[in-house]
Structure formats: structure tokens, C-alpha cells
Amino acid sequence: MRWALADRRASQLGVLSFDADRFKTFNGHPWHDAGDMVLRAIGDTLKELFHNGEVCCRMGGEEFAVFLPDTDKEQDH
């Protein structure tokens, strides 16, 4: 959806993607609740950092992405 909006506006769309290092350490069978807490903490931090039209999402597992409208690789965000 953000890609289509950026295309219609002929504007830039930055994408930041990352994964949580060593997540599987926290998400093993006896520690599954700890893994959930880590994911929630990452989500809460993303909501604090990005709230001006950016879209933060979990792509799957421990992978996350942030879509940054009107942003290119040269901008400080």
C-alpha cells in the first residue's frame, strides 16, 4: 500500500528492515514466554520511535520492517 502511495505521489519510500539477533535464545521451548516479551518490547520501541506516518510491522519470526514515506537513503530520519 505504501509503495502504491509513493508511486502515485512520485515520492521516495525508504524501507528499513532488521531482525532481532539471538532471538532464538529467548524463544526456545521453555522460554517461549520470554520470546513473546522480547517481540512486544521491540514493537513498543518501534511505536515510540516512529509515529509520523511511518508503518512498522513484523514480517515474520524475528524480522521487522519500517516503511518511511518521503524518505530516501540520504535523509536523516
Side-chain angles (χ1 to χ4, degrees):
M1 183 158 125
R2 289 288 173 181
W3 280 289
L5 183 59
D7 190 42
R8 282 196 304 270
R9 291 183 182 169
S11 65
Q12 299 289 321
L13 176 67
V15 178
L16 169 70
S17 65
F18 66 95
D19 69 331
D21 287 342
R22 300 184 196 98
F23 177 73
K24 295 195 186 347
T25 302
F26 295 98
N27 204 39
H29 173 45
W31 304 105
H32 191 72
D33 289 341
D36 289 346
M37 289 173 53
V38 169
L39 293 173
R40 278 193 293 277
I42 292 170
D44 291 344
T45 301
L46 289 173
K47 283 177 17 182
E48 289 177 23
L49 293 172
F50 300 101
H51 47 76
N52 294 317
E54 303 92 347
V55 175
C56 304
C57 58
R58 180 175 167 207
M59 301 300 287
E62 70 274 13
E63 295 94 19
F64 294 85
V66 181
F67 297 91
L68 307 159
D70 302 317
T71 304
D72 63 25
K73 67 180 180 178
E74 303 301 324
Q75 281 181 275
D76 290 331
H77 198 66

